[in-house]
Amino acid sequence: MRIVIALGGNALLKRGEPMTAEVQRRNIRVAAEAIAPVTREHQVVITHGNGPQVGLLALQGAAYRPEEAYPLDVLGAETEGMIGYMLEQELGNILPFEVPFATLLTMVEVDGDDPGFKNPTKFVGPVYEKADADRLAAEKDWVFKQDGEKWRRVVPSPMPKRIFEIRPVKWLLEKGTIVICAGGGGIPTMYKPGKERLLTGVEAVIDKDFCSELLARELEADLFIMATDAQAVFTDWGKPEQKAIHRANPETISSYPFPAGSMGPKVEAACHFARSTGKVAAIGALADIEAIVRGERGTIVSSSFSGMTWH
């Protein structure tokens, strides 16, 4: 089978952990140990989150030369390279030497008319006091929204339209390569209007689950897995009556409400993949990847199922 595995942010950095290279490498080693057995039997493409890493680079750049802070598309490219390097090395320490790896910096086109540009919602960077947020908004034309008692910058989160490197990914897969790409939702880019089609970076963050779903669809993947820190998708999460969903068709599971900031995009991406391809999508814990591939663990979404069953 051809499988796309999207690693959630917890695979790289757990909440409350220091953002050091050592901590990230340790977490990536755990991810590699979970994924390696799957690569022995299937074609595998790996995507990943990069939110904390982009935030750290932005803070470092602002501390050095605030007036020359790197834009989000450049920071996204930097983190794709860093995280891909660690994943390649840790997988290479487990798998036979002959297994080839490749990390591709992945540009993803977005539409300048996407509604996401009219209402920025994606929090990025550190928190500020209201006065500092107002000053930065005036100086840099940034948009801020309240996040708890503080204020944080928000940027657009447009839908992914096209993955530019999709052909090289396919070529590498045909040669038996384990490919790491589209990290953090890819590097957001768009064409400037005008006679000459000039591609340029965008101050935006593409949702990594939606981008991974597009990647899985364009690669004609047989299985699309979103690995997270939850064993499955739960209804009534956090309540005494919570239940873990095992199997569901897209229509049934999408009728339930899920938080927009966590499980909501994953369920939406899984349903879109299952509906549009007739293939299977799954959401579950990183440690359960092998069992998810066998259909034994996690939440499995397929149009071939009727209704919903529970773990």
Side-chain angles (χ1 to χ4, degrees), residues 21 32-33 58 65 88 127 159 185 197-198 252 268 302:
E33 289 170 350
R65 287 183 182 271
E88 284 191 35
V127 296
M159 293 295 290
R197 285 169 60 81
L198 297 176
T252 304
E268 185 177 346
S302 171

Side-chain angles (χ1 to χ4, degrees), residues 208-225:
K208 66 180 183 299
D209 295 318
F210 294 154
C211 183
S212 298
E213 187 275 331
L214 175 61
L215 175 71
R217 203 165 4 107
E218 294 200 344
L219 290 177
E220 300 179 341
D222 301 291
L223 175 61
F224 169 41
I225 300 175

Side-chain angles (χ1 to χ4, degrees), residues 186-259:
I187 304 164
T189 56
M190 69 167 63
Y191 284 104
K192 285 185 175 180
K195 290 183 179 180
E196 295 184 6
R197 285 169 60 81
L198 297 176
L199 195 63
T200 183
V202 183
E203 284 287 275
V205 174
I206 302 169
D207 186 279
K208 66 180 183 299
D209 295 318
F210 294 154
C211 183
S212 298
E213 187 275 331
L214 175 61
L215 175 71
R217 203 165 4 107
E218 294 200 344
L219 290 177
E220 300 179 341
D222 301 291
L223 175 61
F224 169 41
I225 300 175
M226 286 165 279
T228 181
D229 55 358
Q231 294 180 346
V233 178
F234 287 78
T235 56
D236 299 309
W237 173 254
K239 300 178 182 179
E241 62 270 26
Q242 72 176 31
K243 290 193 295 183
I245 302 168
H246 180 35
R247 294 173 180 248
N249 66 35
E251 287 66 35
T252 304
I253 194 170
S254 61
S255 67
Y256 286 81
F258 298 101

Side-chain angles (χ1 to χ4, degrees), residues 123 127-131 133 145-152:
F123 285 111
V127 296
Y128 296 92
E129 297 294 342
K130 182 66 164 62
K145 290 186 179 180
Q146 197 161 2
D147 185 13
E149 297 181 355
K150 304 286 186 178
W151 292 77
R152 289 180 72 193

Side-chain angles (χ1 to χ4, degrees), residues 106-153:
T106 314
M107 294 187 294
V108 177
E109 184 183 2
V110 298
D111 189 340
D113 294 325
D114 190 289
F117 286 104
K118 294 183 175 64
N119 180 31
T121 57
K122 197 77 170 181
F123 285 111
V124 296
V127 296
Y128 296 92
E129 297 294 342
K130 182 66 164 62
D132 293 328
D134 290 343
R135 174 179 55 80
L136 288 167
E139 290 177 0
K140 298 178 177 290
D141 198 27
W142 286 356
V143 178
F144 285 84
K145 290 186 179 180
Q146 197 161 2
D147 185 13
E149 297 181 355
K150 304 286 186 178
W151 292 77
R152 289 180 72 193
R153 183 189 178 194

